[in-house]
Amino acid sequence: MDLDEVADRLYALPPSEFTAARTAEARAAKDEGDVRLSREIAKLRRPTVSAWAVNRLAREHPGELAELLDLGERLRAAWQEQDADVLAELTRRRGEVTGTAGRLARQAGGLSAGAGTEVDQTLDAAVVDAEAAAEVRRGRLVKPLHYSGFAPAPIPRERPGPRKRSAEDEAEQARRREEAEAARAREREQARAAHQEWLQALETAKAEHEERAEKVARLEKKLAKARKRLDDARQRLEVTQREERQARRRLDR
């Protein structure tokens, strides 16, 4: 058993099952004598619902995800080459391919509107950013991804006038404000999810501690009884030995 093998099993599970399964895997590694692996397993973070949905997409629909990531790679290459025609064509296809992947991810069920939005943002990030694409392909996301850099877009064929540039600047500022607000909201959600995860871990640790404390108490009670029986047996032995010596002395007279 190694960390990759355990992580693949854990990140295939729904978030509601993750913490208990992680505790069991860590305990199993410790029981096998691999304390280092046990500690590494214990550090694995529970995924958010949206991250789990994307992980599920990577496992259950690799073909559709590969199509999305391939389109993103070609889109980035077209932007680097300033190929306006290819970039325009790929941009048109992007909405269709991303929409298909998003619908498949949502089939996991139990996704709120906010989680669905995070799925879309994660897939968009995978299209425009190579590092995000690698994370999504691996299938072990713990939180949604968000790309805040400059995304490839169709190359304008004419220089916009001052009024149009002003409107575009205002739109860009508004977009950045929305992204900043969304980022803060995601951070709060991630903090809440992390806190909830640790609460569940705390409950699991408490239950385990109580179970072991009860077991120790039962063993200590049994040990006390065994010691009492040992003391009684020792006293009987001493009495018997004394009586036997006295009987032997009477016999020798």
Side-chain angles (χ1 to χ4, degrees):
M1 180 170 63
D2 58 27
L3 186 62
D4 285 336
E5 178 184 347
V6 174
D8 282 337
R9 286 200 298 268
L10 290 177
Y11 286 109
L13 297 173
S16 59
E17 300 176 15
F18 183 90
T19 302
R22 179 186 60 190
T23 300
E25 293 279 8
R27 184 181 298 132
K30 187 175 181 180
D31 291 343
E32 291 178 2
D34 197 335
V35 177
R36 182 185 60 83
L37 176 59
S38 177
R39 290 173 179 171
E40 290 177 344
I41 293 173
K43 292 178 182 178
L44 295 175
R45 293 179 55 193
R46 188 183 72 165
T48 65
V49 173
S50 57
W52 166 69
V54 177
N55 292 341
R56 178 180 174 274
L57 174 69
R59 286 176 172 79
E60 299 186 9
H61 302 282
E64 287 78 1
L65 179 61
E67 182 180 6
L68 175 70
L69 300 182
D70 177 68
L71 183 144
E73 186 175 347
R74 294 168 59 195
L75 188 65
R76 295 190 298 273
W79 177 256
Q80 290 293 329
E81 296 171 2
Q82 293 291 285
D83 191 330
D85 292 335
V86 173
L87 189 59
E89 173 61 25
L90 293 175
T91 300
R92 284 192 292 270
R93 286 195 57 212
R94 175 180 176 179
E96 176 184 351
V97 175
T98 303
T100 298
R103 285 191 296 273
L104 291 173
R106 286 177 174 80
Q107 288 178 359
L111 271 67
S112 64
T117 299
E118 290 176 346
V119 167
D120 293 337
Q121 291 172 341
T122 299
L123 296 178
D124 284 338
V127 168
V128 299
D129 182 70
E131 292 183 2
E135 289 187 58
V136 168
R137 183 181 285 109
R138 194 180 185 196
R140 296 185 195 170
L141 294 178
V142 299
K143 62 181 180 179
L145 303 180
H146 177 70
Y147 183 75
S148 58
F150 187 78
I155 302 170
R157 298 186 179 278
E158 61 179 13
R159 186 179 181 85
R163 181 175 299 178
K164 184 176 182 180
R165 286 199 301 272
S166 176
E168 289 177 347
D169 290 342
E170 291 178 0
E172 177 64 16
Q173 292 175 3
R175 183 186 66 80
R176 290 180 179 177
R177 286 195 297 270
E178 291 177 357
E179 288 183 350
E181 292 175 359
R184 287 193 293 270
R186 285 193 299 275
E187 289 175 358
R188 289 193 296 270
E189 176 61 23
Q190 291 164 11
R192 185 199 65 76
H195 177 252
Q196 184 63 31
E197 178 181 351
W198 284 113
L199 279 179
Q200 292 182 359
L202 176 61
E203 291 300 321
T204 300
K206 284 181 177 179
E208 182 179 355
H209 176 267
E210 291 175 359
E211 177 185 352
R212 293 180 181 271
E214 290 176 359
K215 184 176 181 179
V216 169
R218 290 193 300 270
L219 291 173
E220 288 178 342
K221 188 175 181 180
K222 290 181 179 179
L223 179 59
K225 291 180 178 179
R227 283 175 174 168
K228 178 64 169 57
R229 289 193 294 267
L230 178 61
D231 289 340
D232 292 343
R234 185 182 297 112
Q235 290 176 7
R236 289 194 297 271
L237 175 61
E238 291 174 353
V239 170
T240 302
Q241 288 174 335
R242 186 171 58 252
E243 293 295 332
E244 187 273 335
R245 286 193 300 270
Q246 291 177 357
R248 188 171 61 249
R249 283 196 296 270
R250 289 193 295 270
L251 179 63
D252 294 339
R253 290 176 184 174

